[in-house]
Amino acid sequence: MQQLSTKHLLGIKGLTEQDIQLIFETADNFKEVINRPIKKVPSLRDITIANIFFENSTRTRLSFELAEKRLSADVINFSSSNSSVKKGETLVDTVNNILSMKVDMVVMRHSSPGAPNFLAKNINANIVNAGDGTHEHPTQALLDAFSIREKLGDVAGKKVAIIGDILHSRVALSNIFCLQKLGAEVMVCGPATLLPKYISSLGVKVEYDVKKALQWCDVANVLRIQLERQQIKYFPSLREYSLYYGVDKKLLDQLDKEIVIMHPGPINRGVELNSDVADSEHSIILNQVENGVAVRMAVLYLLAAVK
Ligand code: CP
């Protein structure tokens, strides 16, 4: 059996192109499984997985839990809001207590960049990063690239524009690493205040005009304005942001080609993306969510084989 080159999934940066292709080929098989009348396989029957979430989540948490259950793993869920973290317990103490219950894998979301890397150095279990602050969200990037491959046949050679709040986005960074490893061209687009100064050093194109970005790309991945991470004002108002950077049907109608629209969710409807695009035939947003389960099944299945 082919194996991943890593015991943990901490970020896309630590994966090889071969790792990503192996995850995709395995996810193809699991996508077939989850569309059968009996959607379950016994692959992880002896494995216990803890989902520990120190930050809010809908899609990622449910998707991991479903992936684990489809693989017949035993699952425990922890959310910091109703735990002893509130009484001052440290991250390592919390996780070591969970591991004493004989847990094999930990899926973690945390607001601090690098928290999963810290855990991987301190505990003996497979760690999966489910989003760490503004750093990386590797399974989101994998499911995004998998969805582009499904829609357009391949990722190599495709032009992908990532539009919006790049500064606060872990999805942007993981997408850039993943798409580049697979041979796509990447552009970032947004107001200068929401584009980090280092971004062009990653080998991406930088564009400030959303019409030009849409005209250039095959795929537009529109990102959420992350108001909860913005301590200062980066643009005058949401109305103004929407006016200059919001993607709507009128903008798409001005293009001389069809493009694919993606969004990792949750969407601020009417801000970065209008409903007339989010719910249109251009959008593969719900396909992304469906593919998330198959991709996460593949990640967990492959990591469980690496001790
Ligand atoms: N895309 C994503 O990470 O969504 P959640 O925050 O709902 O998990």
Side-chain angles (χ1 to χ4, degrees), residues 1 4 26 30 43-44 71 105 296-306:
M1 177 189 158
L4 293 177
T26 311
F30 284 132
S43 314
L44 295 190
L71 291 166
M105 302 179 86
R296 289 180 172 116
M297 286 172 81
V299 165
L300 295 165
Y301 171 75
L302 290 166
L303 285 178
V306 188

Side-chain angles (χ1 to χ4, degrees), residues 157-222:
K158 299 297 178 295
K159 293 177 175 174
V160 181
I162 305 174
I163 299 171
D165 185 354
I166 312 295
L167 184 67
H168 300 99
S169 175
R170 53 195 173 210
V171 174
L173 205 55
S174 288
N175 260 268
I176 290 168
F177 294 144
C178 190
L179 293 166
Q180 288 181 336
K181 280 178 199 268
L182 295 173
E185 278 186 79
V186 184
M187 173 185 278
V188 293
C189 174
T193 49
L194 290 179
L195 300 181
K197 288 192 174 58
Y198 66 80
I199 201 78
S200 56
S201 71
L202 298 180
V204 299
K205 294 179 189 303
V206 178
E207 177 59 70
Y208 303 102
D209 182 334
V210 74
K211 283 182 202 156
K212 287 186 185 163
L214 294 173
Q215 188 57 54
W216 174 83
C217 71
D218 303 305
V219 178
N221 196 351
V222 184

Side-chain angles (χ1 to χ4, degrees), residues 22-42:
L22 177 59
I23 291 168
F24 287 180
E25 284 155 25
T26 311
D28 285 336
N29 293 330
F30 284 132
K31 183 147 184 188
E32 192 266 317
V33 167
I34 61 178
N35 281 292
R36 287 183 198 157
I38 296 169
K39 301 171 171 57
K40 234 174 147 153
V41 285

Side-chain angles (χ1 to χ4, degrees), residues 79-142:
S79 114
S80 60
S81 56
N82 55 5
S83 74
S84 291
V85 168
K86 293 279 171 216
K87 301 175 196 164
E89 193 166 39
T90 66
L91 176 59
V92 167
D93 278 344
T94 300
V95 175
N96 272 330
N97 275 276
I98 293 170
L99 289 177
S100 304
M101 301 173 205
K102 309 283 178 244
V103 166
D104 303 292
M105 302 179 86
V106 175
V107 175
M108 183 171 78
R109 171 167 287 192
H110 202 282
S111 57
S112 297
N117 304 60
F118 172 75
L119 262 201
K121 286 195 185 114
N122 286 284
I123 63 168
N124 186 29
N126 303 94
I127 308 294
V128 184
N129 179 4
D132 58 334
T134 54
H135 178 223
E136 280 228 38
H137 192 349
T139 55
Q140 181 68 46
L142 289 167

Side-chain angles (χ1 to χ4, degrees), residues 56-61 109 137 140 264-266:
N56 295 344
S57 170
T58 299
R59 275 146 294 271
T60 311
R61 194 170 55 81
R109 171 167 287 192
H137 192 349
Q140 181 68 46

